[in-house]
Amino acid sequence: DVMQLPRPVKSILFVSAGFGWPPPYTHGDLNNGWQGQPAITLYHGLQQYALQNNGTVVDAPFLDSAPYHRSFMWASFPAPAGKNATEMRKRMYGAGFSYAGRVASGLRHTISKHEAEKRIRSLEFDVVVFGKVGPGGGGDDDDPMLPPLFRPVIETYSPQRVVGLYGSDEGLQWDLQRKHIRSFGRYGYCLVREIDPVSELRIIPRSLLQPACWLERRWRDFFHLWRQRLDVAGVEDTIYHAAWEPLLAGLSGGDDDVVASTRCWTGYALAGYLISRKDNRMCRLFGYAAREVASIPPAFWLQEFALSWKEIA
């Protein structure tokens, strides 16, 4: 619903950082599945979605060396010699409540890193989900600070089709976490587990900013400048010129149908306000955008952009 993709999602790539925690974080000869419970439960949800919609979840890269091939998620988890189910659950985080043995092993579709990159380049997946992102690194062989397969994904997929999960204990009060989220936000959606209150956090009504407004770099830059417009005098001309870049890119369309089917209508309306002040002939161009955002409560415009709806429309 939030991603507003034009077609039902049938193929999902779930990029993991390996099964379980690497030593010394394993619990003896057992480990607690993938990179923490948030990733495990997200994977559960994706599998349920795929079952209900005749889809497939593929996990990559496949790691077959112990202890990574073991996972408490699978119903056929191989019990170590001399261990029973009760003893195993004592070793799991939270005794495995809600995640242990919940996914049938027959649902597992895993591929190698090489095969995954090949299929990524061919755009075979509708959505790519990174199961672990954050300042702590993601386990890529070439760059430990990045998730596996990060570069081929961002070089191939539009941000509207990419999701990153911040499932660690660190919240927004940690400066490195905030910086990382701002950086990753250029490449896709951020699912953040710990959203603790910080002074920099502003809650913006969902209707006011469509996904393209923060997922497309040109619009992100435009709104960043707009915030400066509210605080710094003399930047009007800079914003005026900045407004043209996303407008021209949007009018020319895009290679990805999701980009073509979603627009930052709020950005179009604000850009139209600026441009039409200098050239009244451009007013018609933004009439459609104004109609698209007409249902947004007027108070939201005033609060976030210091403009009345009357000025925009």
Side-chain angles (χ1 to χ4, degrees):
D1 181 43
V2 173
M3 298 180 79
Q4 298 182 11
L5 298 177
R7 297 190 306 270
V9 173
K10 294 294 185 180
S11 179
I12 302 171
L13 174 64
F14 189 93
V15 182
S16 72
F19 289 90
W21 298 102
Y25 302 107
T26 51
H27 298 282
D29 55 356
L30 299 177
N31 62 88
N32 68 343
W34 282 354
Q35 54 273 22
Q37 280 57 55
I40 293 174
T41 52
L42 174 60
Y43 186 86
H44 284 175
L46 293 175
Q47 285 285 11
Q48 290 300 312
Y49 171 87
L51 283 173
Q52 296 169 8
N53 293 275
N54 194 29
T56 304
V57 180
V58 176
D59 67 78
F62 175 62
L63 298 172
D64 198 23
S65 59
Y68 300 105
H69 69 284
R70 296 174 175 174
S71 174
F72 291 148
M73 290 188 299
W74 309 108
S76 60
F77 174 78
K83 307 291 183 182
N84 58 41
T86 301
E87 187 174 355
M88 287 169 62
R89 282 196 174 267
K90 289 180 181 179
R91 310 284 288 278
M92 300 179 196
Y93 182 86
F97 179 74
S98 81
Y99 68 87
R102 302 282 293 187
V103 181
S105 55
L107 294 177
R108 185 182 182 195
H109 303 278
T110 187
I111 55 179
S112 67
K113 184 177 180 180
H114 175 74
E115 178 67 17
E117 182 168 352
K118 179 181 176 182
R119 294 175 64 176
I120 288 168
R121 300 290 187 188
S122 300
L123 287 169
E124 290 189 26
F125 303 105
D126 297 321
V127 170
V128 178
V129 178
F130 289 101
K132 179 186 178 182
V133 293
D140 184 70
D141 293 335
D142 300 322
D143 188 341
M145 293 307 295
L146 296 176
L149 301 167
F150 181 73
R151 295 194 186 282
V153 169
I154 65 170
E155 291 170 359
T156 309
Y157 281 82
S158 66
Q160 285 90 336
R161 294 186 179 276
V162 179
V163 179
L165 174 62
Y166 288 80
S168 67
D169 294 336
E170 288 79 19
L172 297 178
Q173 291 187 355
W174 188 28
D175 183 57
L176 285 178
Q177 185 85 318
R178 295 198 304 274
K179 290 179 178 178
H180 199 283
I181 291 172
R182 291 192 186 102
S183 177
F184 188 88
R186 295 175 293 171
Y187 307 115
Y189 291 88
C190 299
L191 300 182
V192 184
R193 169 188 164 192
E194 299 292 339
I195 306 183
D196 39 12
V198 292
S199 58
E200 299 177 29
L201 183 64
R202 293 183 299 110
I203 305 299
I204 298 175
R206 177 179 172 182
S207 61
L208 190 57
L209 290 181
Q210 302 76 42
C213 296
W214 70 83
L215 289 173
E216 294 182 16
R217 178 191 58 80
R218 299 176 181 89
W219 283 122
R220 284 169 64 94
D221 293 345
F222 172 79
F223 283 103
H224 178 70
L225 286 170
W226 190 278
R227 295 298 304 177
Q228 293 184 17
R229 175 182 182 270
L230 304 181
D231 302 325
V232 182
V235 297
E236 190 88 4
D237 286 341
T238 302
I239 304 175
Y240 171 80
H241 293 294
W244 281 103
E245 187 177 1
L247 290 178
L248 294 176
L251 291 173
S252 65
D255 296 330
D256 193 336
D257 57 356
V258 68
V259 176
S261 66
T262 59
R263 297 283 188 229
C264 176
W265 295 117
T266 297
Y268 277 109
L270 292 173
Y273 162 79
L274 289 174
I275 293 173
S276 298
R277 290 175 66 188
K278 290 180 176 289
D279 189 344
N280 289 332
R281 295 173 299 175
M282 300 298 296
C283 289
R284 285 188 179 182
L285 178 62
F286 306 103
Y288 186 79
R291 290 193 295 273
E292 285 288 319
V293 296
S295 61
I296 298 175
F300 290 172
W301 292 98
L302 198 60
Q303 175 182 328
E304 187 63 26
F305 304 119
L307 285 178
S308 68
W309 171 244
K310 184 178 180 180
E311 290 177 280
I312 297 171

